[in-house]
Amino acid sequence: MRSPLRTTLSILALCASFGMAVPAHAQDDAAVAVDGLRLPGLNNYAPASVDDALAIADTGEVTLVAHLNEGGEEIPNGLVWRIFGTQPGADEKLPLVATARGGNGVFELAPGSYLVHAAYGRAGVTKRITVGREPVREDLFLDAGGLKLNAILPGGVRIPQNQLRFSIYEASEDNIGDGTLILPNVEPGSIVRLNAGTYHVVAKYGAMNAVIRSDIRVEAGKLTEATVEHRAADLTMKLVRERGGEAIADTAWSVLTDTGEIVYETVSAYASMVLAEGDYTIVAKNRDRIYQRDFSVVPGRNQDVELLPTDLLDTRNQFPD
C-alpha cells in the first residue's frame, strides 16, 4: 500500500465538461501498435506542417475530426495530426507522409491505406483509414479527459506556486514504486490532457521530504480536479549569539529525522527548507563549535528556528569575545 511520509491525503475530485484546448507539456510517447504495425515514438508538440500531397492528381480528400469521447463535441484546436503509410521503409519504420496541427485536419492523399494518429496533450489515439477518390470524413475518439492538480496546507492555507510541483506516472498494478513516468514538473493549476484511466500522482512541496502520493482517476470527457493537503512547514534556521540576533556566517548545517536520517545539509548563514511534519534534530557547526537542538515541525506553522549559545554541546567552548 502506498502511504505518504508523515503526511495525509485529502482528495477533492470535481468533474466538469472538458472541451477547450489548454497548454500542456510535451514528452515523447511510446511507440503505438495498431493491427500489428508499430508506429515510431511520437512527440505531441514536434514542429508540425502539412506536407505536399503524395500526388498532384489522382488523390482523395480526407477530413479528420477528433472528440474526447463518443458523443462529445469536436475538439476545436490543440491537436497534432500525423498520417503514416502502412508499409515499412528501408529503416523498418512506417513513413510519415503528412502532419498538421490545430483542429480538424484536411488532407489530400493518394488512394490507399494509412494509419492516423491524433495527439491532444498527453492523450492520443491511432486509427487505420482507407482513402479513395471520393471525399471522406473520419472521426477519432480519444477516450480522454483532463487533470488539474493543486495542494494546500491545513486550514486551506495556499502553498506558494513556485514551491509546489507534481509528477504523473502510470499507475502500477503491484503498487511497488511510482511506475513509469509520464510527465514531470507539472505546475499547480495547469490542465494536463490524458487518456481515461488511473494515474499515480506525486506531489512535492519544497525540495526535501514533504511528498504525497495518490492514485487519481481521469474520466473521458471530463475535467478532474484533485487537491492534496500537505502536512509540512517552511522553516528558516540560523545560529545567533542572542535571540533575534544576526545569523553567523559560514555555519555548516545538518538536519536529521528522529531515526537519524540526514534530510538536509548546507553551509551558509541561514538554512531554509520545507520539512514534513515530525521530530528532527538540528546540528550546526561553526569553526570548532558544535550546536544541537531538537525541534518539531507543526503542519502549516512556518517559523524561524534559532540556535543559541545554550545549544552548544561543549559549554566550555563559547563564542569568543
Side-chain angles (χ1 to χ4, degrees):
M1 296 292 291
R2 296 191 179 92
S3 58
L5 179 59
R6 303 182 184 277
T7 57
T8 59
L9 172 68
S10 173
I11 292 292
L12 307 175
L14 302 176
C15 294
S17 60
F18 178 67
M20 296 297 293
V22 291
H25 300 273
Q27 184 177 340
D28 287 342
D29 289 333
V32 180
V34 177
D35 297 341
L37 298 175
R38 195 163 185 80
L39 276 61
L42 302 173
N43 187 294
N44 288 353
Y45 282 87
S49 64
V50 178
D51 296 344
D52 292 335
L54 295 180
I56 297 177
D58 195 27
T59 62
E61 180 181 280
V62 57
T63 299
L64 302 175
V65 181
H67 310 258
L68 287 175
N69 58 343
E70 289 195 41
E73 297 181 357
E74 298 177 7
I75 298 175
N77 49 54
L79 292 160
V80 176
W81 295 100
R82 290 179 180 83
I83 300 180
F84 295 86
T86 57
Q87 296 301 318
D91 58 359
E92 298 185 352
K93 296 181 180 179
L94 298 180
L96 177 64
V97 299
T99 65
R101 181 175 178 177
N104 296 349
V106 181
F107 299 87
E108 292 286 340
L109 301 170
S113 181
Y114 299 89
L115 290 176
V116 175
H117 184 268
Y120 187 53
R122 296 301 308 172
V125 65
T126 302
K127 180 180 180 180
R128 179 188 286 271
I129 66 170
T130 299
V131 177
R133 291 181 176 82
E134 297 297 324
V136 295
R137 166 176 165 147
E138 295 286 350
D139 289 85
L140 283 75
F141 302 99
L142 280 82
D143 188 31
L147 179 60
K148 184 177 180 180
L149 300 166
N150 217 322
I152 57 173
L153 292 170
V157 177
R158 295 179 62 85
I159 296 174
Q161 301 281 289
N162 61 350
Q163 290 187 286
L164 186 61
R165 285 296 181 270
F166 299 87
S167 294
I168 301 175
Y169 299 80
E170 290 182 358
S172 174
E173 294 182 359
D174 55 13
N175 289 339
I176 298 177
D178 289 324
T180 302
L181 179 64
I182 295 176
L183 197 60
N185 299 321
V186 177
E187 295 182 3
S190 61
I191 298 175
V192 181
R193 293 163 287 194
L194 298 162
N195 287 109
T198 300
Y199 295 88
H200 181 58
V201 175
V202 177
K204 191 166 187 178
Y205 173 27
M208 298 297 108
N209 61 351
V211 178
I212 292 177
R213 291 174 166 83
S214 178
D215 288 345
I216 299 174
R217 175 76 182 174
V218 174
E219 297 186 29
K222 297 180 180 180
L223 173 63
T224 298
E225 297 187 42
T227 299
V228 299
E229 182 182 279
H230 273 285
R231 299 190 62 80
D234 195 347
L235 306 172
T236 298
M237 303 171 186
K238 57 182 180 178
L239 177 65
V240 296
R241 289 181 169 84
E242 58 186 6
R243 292 190 182 278
E246 292 293 325
I248 299 174
D250 300 323
T251 299
W253 297 92
S254 297
V255 179
L256 298 81
T257 65
D258 55 358
T259 59
E261 177 186 0
I262 297 175
V263 295
Y264 184 79
E265 288 184 310
T266 191
V267 177
S268 63
Y270 296 89
S272 297
M273 73 213 72
V274 175
L275 292 175
E277 176 184 23
D279 298 323
Y280 297 86
T281 298
I282 308 172
V283 178
K285 182 177 181 182
N286 185 268
R287 298 183 182 179
D288 60 345
R289 295 177 292 276
I290 299 176
Y291 303 81
Q292 180 174 310
R293 177 181 170 185
D294 295 333
F295 76 104
S296 297
V297 172
V298 178
R301 185 184 297 175
N302 300 337
Q303 58 180 310
D304 291 340
V305 181
E306 295 181 334
L307 269 71
L308 299 161
T310 53
D311 297 311
L312 185 67
L313 290 182
D314 185 355
T315 56
R316 296 169 299 177
N317 190 9
Q318 286 282 5
F319 293 112
D321 296 332

